[in-house]
Amino acid sequence: MVWRGLRALRGALRAPALGRRFSTRPARAPAMDYQDAIRTLNTLQTNASYLEQVKRERGDPQAQLEAMRGFLERSGLKVEDLDRLNIIHVTGTKGKGSACAFTECILRSYGLKTGFYSSPHLVQVRERIRINGQPISKELFSKYFWLVYNRLEETKDPAHASMPAYFRFLTIMAFHVFLQEKVDLAVVEVGIGGAYDCTNIIRAPVVCGVSSLGIDHTSILGDTMEKIAWQKGGIFKPGVPAFTVAQPERPLEVLRDRAQELECPLYLCPELDAFEGGHQVLELGLAGTHQRSNAALALQLAQTWLQRRGCWGLGELKEVPPGAELAGRSVPLAPAFRPTNAMIQGLRDTEWLGRNQVLPRGPMTWYLDGAHTTSSIQACVRWFRQAALNQDKPHDGSEVRVLLFNVTGDRDTAALLKLLVPCHFDYAVFCPNFTEVSMASNMDQQNFNVTLENALTRCLENQRTWTRLLEEKVGQDPWLPAPLRVGGLLQPAPARGTLLLVPPAPRPLNSPALVFPCLAQALRWVAQGRDPQLAAPTATGAHPHPAASSGAVLLREAAAVHVLVTGSLHLVGGVLRLLDPALSQ
């Protein structure tokens, strides 16, 4: 069935490049410009190969870290040099990037020169390496890329013949950038896990953080929360304070045991409410109630960094009631404090694209969130419901909801899609993360490990899964208590005290699912010429599914179209590139 659908797509959508694997030809001689740098970077092993390498080597983590140290030294740095970066090292399953973004913005609000290393990128690779909150320029990227690449090439010998993988290379490059550009501190986000991650060559961070834990990358980190917690706790260092947010009991105990083993003082962050006290509610630059725990972690990381680096003006520490540190907790509770004006400003000014992001475009409203685990999809659905229902409703009620979804890696697609069914989408659209059928003009988002044909096969499987879920009528929320409806109005659920939003009127569980070969074609169909950045779909590229033509009429005539884009940060990045071309400049 899948292959029949694939053949139909291949013929109907005239995508001659479907079976072609992207070129992995040797790098050209380095002409020192940005495009050549990206092309050469792409010849290194990319993420999928790196994950396979990690799986092979995970039985000997010391060998992995030794290999990373060897690459670092070949590039001209020693591990001790990283001590000068005053690093904040952050891991976690969900929210670690947001926690890093909050932390960086808070410390930048103090007038400090900040470095920030994160992954993955959404539109351009240089987003991964930021100075003062901005991606480094193309000129700086090219300068440091060739500096590191040429040094590694020059130091090849029979014993050291290899080049570091894509992520390892960028990590080394980031360290060079931050040292040469003389940042006051560097916020470093772990790539995958912690103990075996290549960022864990950092030996003396100022402070460490662990955001919310969940199930992800199970083939590498393990298939239980406890195994994953053990990996995340691998970034703890002797005598270096570490903070974590509320976690399930057993994973928290594992973190505690890892901290004791590594002689690391570990503390639990208070909820953000404790920092607000009786004064104003803290305004966050990132939407979604789940961001409150990330903000609380960021406050602790920033305050501890400032304290340990001897900075003043931290604000007055609030007293904690006696015994609160240990009462019923396996990890002591960190004291809350009154945030300074710089901290308040930093939380408010934080921007982090592709996470709970809303792009209103006339009748079109795009909701972008790179959620890709079950718990983050749950948070995404809560945010989408609230954000979409807070929009002004069209007087004639003609509102269309569209899901645009893709997923990568070894994630359980059915489990993720099941959580999205209660949103009652009118259409579900599945497509690969490629912006165009041919990616030759978009090197920043090339992935040499995935053919378009393989990606489309997975999309067709997702289409079948969605259709099956609707047929099974899995329409009840598996994780939200039902709110009370009084006189047609939503009321707070008594057990939670917060407003839990559901669709304002029942919708049939009938959501035709369409597959497109690339994001450009999918977005053009969804927008139907109503978004100024997207051309109208052409008649020659009409989708063969009967629902596509009838859906096109509804999308053209609807007073409001709400589109949720989720399942993959790479998908969100591709959509952002098409909706906001300035991000590619």
Side-chain angles (χ1 to χ4, degrees):
M1 178 69 73
V2 167
W3 287 107
R4 283 202 298 273
L6 188 59
R7 285 197 298 271
L9 270 170
R10 183 187 291 122
L13 296 169
R14 296 175 175 83
L18 275 173
R20 176 167 52 83
R21 181 176 292 277
F22 300 122
S23 170
T24 56
R25 64 183 183 276
R28 290 191 287 173
M32 305 297 182
D33 70 7
Y34 178 72
Q35 293 302 324
D36 279 317
I38 300 303
R39 187 179 296 108
T40 305
L41 174 66
N42 286 341
T43 65
L44 302 177
Q45 294 171 295
T46 50
N47 194 47
S49 298
Y50 173 65
L51 298 186
E52 287 301 319
Q53 182 180 356
V54 170
K55 280 189 280 188
R56 288 194 304 271
E57 298 175 353
R58 65 180 173 181
D60 189 359
Q62 205 55 41
Q64 292 183 56
L65 296 179
E66 284 301 325
M68 183 63 181
R69 289 188 191 99
F71 288 129
L72 187 72
E73 290 185 7
R74 282 172 53 195
S75 78
L77 292 179
K78 294 186 179 299
V79 173
E80 304 89 78
D81 294 326
L82 307 184
D83 299 351
R84 307 201 309 268
L85 289 176
N86 300 314
I87 289 171
I88 298 172
H89 202 191
V90 182
T91 188
T93 307
K94 303 164 293 176
K96 65 181 186 292
S98 298
C100 286
F102 278 128
T103 305
E104 183 277 330
C105 196
I106 289 171
L107 292 170
R108 180 160 34 98
S109 297
Y110 277 88
L112 295 163
K113 184 174 183 178
T114 61
F116 180 11
Y117 178 60
S118 65
S119 60
H121 61 277
L122 291 177
V123 179
Q124 296 197 59
V125 178
R126 57 196 181 90
E127 297 166 29
R128 297 179 182 230
I129 305 173
R130 296 172 182 257
I131 293 178
N132 286 335
Q134 296 299 313
I136 60 173
S137 68
K138 291 182 178 180
E139 292 73 23
L140 270 187
F141 188 97
S142 299
K143 170 185 172 181
Y144 287 106
F145 175 86
W146 292 116
L147 171 75
V148 174
Y149 188 87
N150 290 337
R151 283 182 180 173
L152 289 167
E153 278 285 347
E154 291 162 4
T155 53
K156 279 184 175 179
D157 59 37
H160 305 94
S162 63
M163 293 288 280
Y166 187 96
F167 183 74
R168 288 179 176 179
F169 183 96
L170 287 171
T171 303
I172 294 168
M173 180 176 155
F175 292 146
H176 277 270
V177 171
F178 297 151
L179 285 165
Q180 292 296 317
E181 297 300 314
K182 295 181 170 54
V183 299
D184 295 314
L185 68 123
V187 179
V188 177
E189 178 189 358
V190 166
I192 294 174
Y196 303 171
D197 189 72
C198 68
T199 64
N200 208 29
I201 60 170
I202 297 166
R203 64 174 197 167
V206 176
V207 62
C208 295
V210 182
S211 69
S212 184
L213 298 178
I215 300 292
D216 198 18
H217 296 298
T218 54
S219 61
I220 296 169
L221 306 180
D223 55 2
T224 68
M225 291 273 281
E226 290 80 7
K227 291 176 181 177
I228 290 171
W230 188 93
Q231 294 276 357
K232 305 292 184 182
I235 71 167
F236 296 157
K237 301 295 185 299
V240 175
F243 296 87
T244 189
V245 299
Q247 310 282 7
E249 182 178 358
R250 280 294 301 135
L252 185 61
E253 290 174 353
V254 172
L255 288 178
R256 177 202 62 195
D257 294 345
R258 283 289 263 165
Q260 291 174 350
E261 170 196 343
L262 297 169
E263 300 178 348
C264 161
L266 175 66
Y267 301 93
L268 187 65
C269 290
E271 296 292 334
L272 195 62
D273 299 7
F275 296 94
E276 294 171 331
H279 64 292
Q280 67 190 51
V281 173
L282 291 169
E283 181 184 347
L284 305 184
L286 304 184
T289 55
H290 58 284
Q291 294 292 356
R292 290 180 64 81
S293 70
N294 298 327
L297 176 58
L299 284 172
Q300 290 286 359
L301 294 174
Q303 188 267 350
T304 302
W305 189 95
L306 289 164
Q307 195 173 52
R308 296 197 78 206
R309 300 313 301 162
C311 301
W312 299 98
L314 300 181
E316 180 184 353
L317 290 177
K318 291 166 58 178
E319 290 187 3
V320 177
E325 290 89 345
L326 296 174
R329 292 183 172 89
S330 62
V331 174
L333 186 68
F337 54 88
R338 191 173 301 283
T340 65
N341 289 336
M343 291 175 175
I344 293 169
Q345 178 186 338
L347 291 176
R348 184 178 60 242
D349 292 348
T350 300
E351 294 180 353
W352 198 224
L353 296 184
R355 286 81 171 176
N356 305 126
Q357 183 179 359
V358 181
L359 285 177
R361 303 285 187 86
M364 306 290 304
T365 306
W366 304 88
Y367 302 83
L368 312 176
D369 189 60
H372 51 271
T373 67
T374 52
S375 49
S376 60
I377 288 286
Q378 288 173 353
C380 171
V381 169
R382 292 190 191 102
W383 162 74
F384 172 69
R385 284 179 157 181
Q386 184 164 0
L389 290 174
N390 282 344
Q391 297 285 324
D392 292 335
K393 295 294 176 290
H395 296 301
D396 62 0
S398 59
E399 177 187 78
V400 177
R401 293 183 208 145
V402 181
L403 170 66
L404 178 57
F405 182 90
N406 192 39
V407 73
T408 61
D410 55 3
R411 297 177 176 93
D412 185 348
T413 306
L416 302 183
L417 288 174
K418 183 175 180 179
L419 295 168
L420 291 160
V421 169
C423 289
H424 299 274
F425 293 102
D426 297 289
Y427 294 92
V429 175
F430 303 96
C431 71
N433 295 337
F434 308 134
T435 51
E436 303 284 353
V437 171
S438 171
M439 293 288 287
S441 63
N442 184 19
M443 289 183 291
D444 283 271
Q445 293 180 319
Q446 281 185 344
N447 184 343
F448 290 168
N449 295 282
V450 181
T451 63
L452 190 53
E453 186 152 359
N454 288 341
L456 272 174
T457 299
R458 185 158 190 177
C459 290
L460 288 160
E461 291 168 351
N462 293 344
Q463 179 189 41
R464 294 174 64 200
T465 300
W466 181 258
T467 302
R468 176 177 56 78
L469 287 169
L470 295 182
E471 289 171 351
E472 293 171 358
K473 299 194 182 302
V474 186
Q476 298 304 311
D477 292 85
W479 39 267
L480 281 180
L484 300 177
R485 186 177 291 276
V486 180
L489 299 176
L490 290 169
Q491 301 295 323
R496 291 283 295 275
T498 56
L499 194 62
L500 299 173
L501 298 169
V502 297
R507 281 170 171 260
L509 285 174
N510 177 24
S511 177
L514 307 175
V515 174
F516 288 87
C518 67
L519 276 166
Q521 292 190 31
L523 294 190
R524 283 196 291 267
W525 180 81
V526 171
Q528 290 295 317
R530 305 179 77 185
D531 187 296
Q533 294 295 342
L534 300 170
T538 60
T540 55
H543 196 287
H545 196 294
S549 55
S550 59
V553 175
L554 289 176
L555 289 164
R556 282 195 297 269
E557 296 179 352
V561 180
H562 299 291
V563 188
L564 175 62
V565 182
T566 192
S568 164
L569 273 169
H570 301 286
L571 176 76
V572 168
V575 170
L576 273 173
R577 181 177 185 272
L578 294 169
L579 294 181
D580 189 355
L583 293 174
S584 299
Q585 303 307 313

